[in-house]
Amino acid sequence: RHVALRMLLQFLGHLERQVLNGYEGCVSLPPASTTSQKFFRGNRRVCEDWFSRLRPSLLRAAGVAGSAHLVYEHASRRLPDIVRQLLGKAGEAEGRKLREEADSVGGLLCSA
């Protein structure tokens, strides 16, 4: 059930770990080449923003796929983003939307 979705989620999880390894390094992965490290360190913010924008969809997909551990993983990464945006200069309409998303994340966590 939802095999393709689970494989996509797994692929994106591995991609995120490799990108993280590219700009920070990781004990469990071999070090990235010097060229890759320079690229990912120079584009770190772009990569982080991309995964941040993708995170809500990953979270919903993990819920649809019934993958509790991925729901927890993506929720734990999405909630700090929501809090940061709420504490930033979020307008009233955007703040309402972010609070609704936080409620939705909480609901996914409870149902996982």
Side-chain angles (χ1 to χ4, degrees), residues 13-83:
H14 288 302
L15 176 63
E16 188 170 15
R17 281 185 277 288
Q18 290 293 338
V19 168
L20 180 68
N21 184 43
Y23 58 74
E24 278 190 2
C26 181
V27 209
S28 63
L29 294 172
S33 69
T34 306
T35 307
S36 295
Q37 288 177 355
K38 286 180 183 177
F39 173 82
F40 284 109
R41 286 180 182 152
N43 292 291
R44 178 179 183 157
R45 190 70 202 152
V46 172
C47 295
E48 288 174 343
D49 287 346
W50 187 76
F51 280 110
S52 180
R53 285 192 309 273
L54 193 58
R55 187 89 46 221
S57 297
L58 294 173
L59 182 56
R60 284 191 303 276
V64 168
S67 182
H69 74 283
L70 288 176
V71 168
Y72 292 129
E73 178 181 339
H74 293 300
S76 68
R77 292 183 182 177
R78 180 62 186 142
L79 286 173
D81 288 343
I82 293 172
V83 170

Side-chain angles (χ1 to χ4, degrees), residues 63-107:
V64 168
S67 182
H69 74 283
L70 288 176
V71 168
Y72 292 129
E73 178 181 339
H74 293 300
S76 68
R77 292 183 182 177
R78 180 62 186 142
L79 286 173
D81 288 343
I82 293 172
V83 170
R84 201 171 14 263
Q85 289 174 327
L86 281 171
L87 295 176
K89 297 179 180 177
E92 186 177 328
E94 186 182 358
R96 189 176 323 108
K97 182 181 173 190
L98 288 167
R99 284 188 293 279
E100 288 171 3
E101 184 180 352
D103 288 343
S104 173
V105 170

Side-chain angles (χ1 to χ4, degrees), residues 6-18:
R6 286 176 186 256
M7 289 177 69
L8 177 63
L9 288 166
Q10 187 176 25
F11 168 77
L12 289 168
H14 288 302
L15 176 63
E16 188 170 15
R17 281 185 277 288
Q18 290 293 338

